[in-house]
Amino acid sequence: MVNLNLELTPVSFPPIPGLQKQPSVDVVVLTYEKVSRTHIDWLLDSAPSLTDPPGTPAARSLGLDTEFDGPALGLIQLASETRCLIIKVPKPTKNCRIERPRDRNEALDTLLADPLVRKTGCELTKDALLLRANFGHNLRGGVDLTHLYSPSDLTATSRSTIGLFALFSKMYLPSGPPLLKDKLTTTSQWVGVELTPVQLSYGVLDAWVSYKVGTHNLTKVENAPVLDFATVDPKVLAVLVELNTASLAVDYMTRKQYESKFSTVTRRKDGSYAVLNTQFRNKLMFRDKIAMHLDSGELHLGTVLWGPHGKIKTVKPDEPLNITRQVVKITVIEQGSSRGADEFLR
C-alpha cells in the first residue's frame, strides 16, 4: 500500500457489537475545494481489485454516502475497508440555484465519473441527484443497494425496502444485536455548522457500512443495474434533479428539527410528562419523536402520545428519567404530524 503522507484526522469509529473483528479505518476530513488527486489516490490505493485481471469493468468498489439538509449537501463520504474521506461541503450562497451549480472539484469529479470504480450505497439515486444539483457531478458506476436488496415481492401499490444498517446486520450480524442508527445524529443539522465528533464518527460508519454491504456479494453487485448519469438524456436528468430537489425541500420543511417552546414540564405518576406549550408555531404535535435535555446534560429520547387537543401534550420517555432531574429543553427530532410552512417561522 502506497504511503502518500496525508495528515489523518482523529475520528473514533464506533464499536459494532457482535462483529468479531472491529474495523480499523484511517480518516481524512477536509473541505470540498481541498480534495486533490493525492486524496483520491490515497483512497483508491486501499480499494483492492475485485476482478481478475485488474482493469476489467468494476475493478474496484467504494462505499458512497451523503448527508444533507433539504436539497443542500453538507457532507460527502467515500470509504473502503480501511480508509475514508469525509468531505465537508460549505453552505451554498443565496444565489446558488439548480441552473447554476457551484464550482466543481475536478479530482472528485474524475472519481465519481469513473465507471471502473463501483460506488455502492442505499438510496444512492438520491445522493447522485444531490451531487448533480449541487456541483454538476455525473455519477457513473453506481449501484443502489436499496433496490438491489429490496424484497422480491414488491408490487406497484405496496413498496417495502430494507435500510442500510438492516442489510448490514443481516449479512454480518445474523445472530447478534442489529446495528441501529442514532436518530439524534441522523436528524441533526449538517449544513452551515461545525460538525461534532459524533457526526464525523457517524459519517465514517455510514460510508464504511455502504462499502461492506456493497462487497458482501460481488456477483450480485456485478450483475446489478448500474447507475450511469452519462447515459441519461440531459433534459430528463434536469427534470429528475428538479423533482428531487423539490421533494427534499418539502421533506425538510415538514420534518425540520426545532425546539419546542414551553413554560412548564410536570412529571406524572406513570412516568410521563405534561408539557405546557407557550408558542403555537413551536408546539409539540402528536407522535413527534423528541429529545429531552436534562439539567445534568443528559439526553433522553421520547414520544408525544396521542391525546386531547390543546396546549398541554403528554411526553413519554423511552426510558424512565431520574425524578431529581429537570427538563430544560425539548427538541423535536422527527415530526409525527403534518405542519404548515408558516409553523417553522421563528
Side-chain angles (χ1 to χ4, degrees), residues 9-28:
T9 308
V11 177
S12 63
F13 195 98
I16 302 176
L19 196 64
Q20 288 187 348
K21 184 180 179 182
Q22 292 296 315
S24 177
V25 182
D26 291 333
V27 182
V28 172

Side-chain angles (χ1 to χ4, degrees), residues 17 51 137-138 148 150 154 164 168 202 220 309 336:
T51 55
H137 292 300
N138 273 342
L148 183 63
S150 292
L154 299 182
L164 177 64
F168 177 85
Y202 171 79
K220 190 176 182 70
H309 291 274

Side-chain angles (χ1 to χ4, degrees), residues 302-321:
T303 304
V304 179
L305 302 182
W306 185 263
H309 291 274
K311 290 185 177 181
I312 297 179
K313 294 294 189 295
T314 299
V315 172
K316 182 70 173 179
D318 291 353
E319 298 178 357
L321 305 188

Side-chain angles (χ1 to χ4, degrees), residues 10-148:
V11 177
S12 63
F13 195 98
I16 302 176
L19 196 64
Q20 288 187 348
K21 184 180 179 182
Q22 292 296 315
S24 177
V25 182
D26 291 333
V27 182
V28 172
V29 179
L30 71 169
T31 55
Y32 178 84
E33 66 275 8
K34 297 291 186 181
V35 179
S36 68
R37 187 65 227 182
T38 300
H39 296 103
I40 302 301
D41 289 342
W42 173 81
L43 181 63
L44 288 176
D45 186 55
S46 66
S49 174
L50 301 176
T51 55
D52 189 18
T56 53
R60 295 179 180 184
S61 182
L62 294 172
L64 171 61
D65 189 52
T66 65
E67 307 299 337
F68 48 88
D69 293 338
L73 273 175
L75 207 63
I76 304 170
Q77 309 108 274
L78 289 154
S80 67
E81 177 90 31
T82 58
R83 290 178 178 176
C84 181
L85 276 181
I86 298 291
I87 304 168
K88 298 188 291 186
V89 179
K91 186 177 181 179
T93 57
K94 290 184 178 180
N95 63 352
C96 180
R97 302 199 306 269
I98 299 171
E99 309 91 77
R100 297 201 303 269
R102 289 180 275 175
D103 292 340
R104 182 170 54 206
N105 183 294
E106 293 303 324
L108 181 59
D109 187 64
T110 300
L111 173 62
L112 295 174
D114 187 349
L116 298 183
V117 180
R118 281 283 188 267
K119 298 91 179 174
T120 62
C122 277
E123 297 190 350
L124 192 67
T125 305
K126 182 184 293 184
D127 296 321
L129 290 171
L130 274 168
L131 289 165
R132 171 74 180 184
N134 282 260
F135 294 106
H137 292 300
N138 273 342
L139 185 70
R140 305 191 68 190
V143 176
D144 196 326
L145 301 172
T146 306
H147 303 297
L148 183 63

Side-chain angles (χ1 to χ4, degrees), residues 48-342:
S49 174
L50 301 176
T51 55
D52 189 18
T56 53
R60 295 179 180 184
S61 182
L62 294 172
L64 171 61
D65 189 52
T66 65
E67 307 299 337
F68 48 88
D69 293 338
L73 273 175
L75 207 63
I76 304 170
Q77 309 108 274
L78 289 154
S80 67
E81 177 90 31
T82 58
R83 290 178 178 176
C84 181
L85 276 181
I86 298 291
I87 304 168
K88 298 188 291 186
V89 179
K91 186 177 181 179
T93 57
K94 290 184 178 180
N95 63 352
C96 180
R97 302 199 306 269
I98 299 171
E99 309 91 77
R100 297 201 303 269
R102 289 180 275 175
D103 292 340
R104 182 170 54 206
N105 183 294
E106 293 303 324
L108 181 59
D109 187 64
T110 300
L111 173 62
L112 295 174
D114 187 349
L116 298 183
V117 180
R118 281 283 188 267
K119 298 91 179 174
T120 62
C122 277
E123 297 190 350
L124 192 67
T125 305
K126 182 184 293 184
D127 296 321
L129 290 171
L130 274 168
L131 289 165
R132 171 74 180 184
N134 282 260
F135 294 106
H137 292 300
N138 273 342
L139 185 70
R140 305 191 68 190
V143 176
D144 196 326
L145 301 172
T146 306
H147 303 297
L148 183 63
Y149 287 102
S150 292
S152 58
D153 58 347
L154 299 182
T155 65
T157 57
S158 176
R159 181 171 179 82
S160 176
T161 57
I162 305 174
L164 177 64
F165 281 28
L167 284 171
F168 177 85
S169 300
K170 185 178 180 180
M171 295 171 179
Y172 295 97
L173 306 170
S175 58
L179 181 62
L180 300 176
K181 285 196 174 187
D182 178 3
K183 282 195 173 183
L184 283 174
T185 304
T186 59
T187 58
S188 58
Q189 187 175 350
W190 294 94
V191 177
V193 296
E194 186 66 31
L195 298 178
T196 66
V198 174
Q199 285 178 301
L200 293 175
S201 179
Y202 171 79
V204 175
L205 177 64
D206 235 10
W208 184 84
V209 170
S210 295
Y211 171 82
K212 292 296 290 183
V213 173
T215 55
H216 178 73
N217 187 334
L218 294 178
T219 301
K220 190 176 182 70
V221 170
E222 278 298 308
N223 295 322
V226 176
L227 189 63
D228 189 344
F229 276 7
T231 63
V232 181
D233 185 301
K235 293 181 179 179
V236 175
L237 189 55
V239 172
L240 292 174
V241 167
E242 271 198 80
L243 289 173
N244 186 63
T245 299
S247 174
L248 289 174
V250 171
D251 183 66
Y252 181 63
M253 179 188 72
T254 57
R255 305 190 71 82
K256 184 179 176 183
Q257 184 178 134
Y258 73 96
E259 291 180 12
S260 172
K261 302 298 181 182
F262 60 85
S263 60
T264 60
V265 178
T266 306
R267 189 178 188 274
R268 293 185 170 130
K269 291 182 179 180
D270 63 357
S272 65
Y273 287 77
V275 180
L276 175 60
N277 288 125
T278 57
Q279 289 188 12
F280 175 78
R281 288 176 176 172
N282 294 325
K283 69 178 182 179
L284 296 174
M285 302 283 278
F286 300 133
R287 301 192 182 92
D288 281 349
K289 300 294 184 182
I290 57 97
M292 305 176 76
H293 303 249
L294 306 187
D295 56 1
S296 62
E298 297 174 88
L299 282 178
H300 288 268
L301 297 178
T303 304
V304 179
L305 302 182
W306 185 263
H309 291 274
K311 290 185 177 181
I312 297 179
K313 294 294 189 295
T314 299
V315 172
K316 182 70 173 179
D318 291 353
E319 298 178 357
L321 305 188
N322 187 326
I323 61 174
T324 65
R325 295 301 181 185
Q326 291 185 343
V327 179
V328 296
K329 186 169 67 173
I330 295 177
T331 304
V332 176
I333 61 173
E334 183 176 328
Q335 296 178 23
S337 302
S338 176
R339 286 167 168 81
D342 66 318

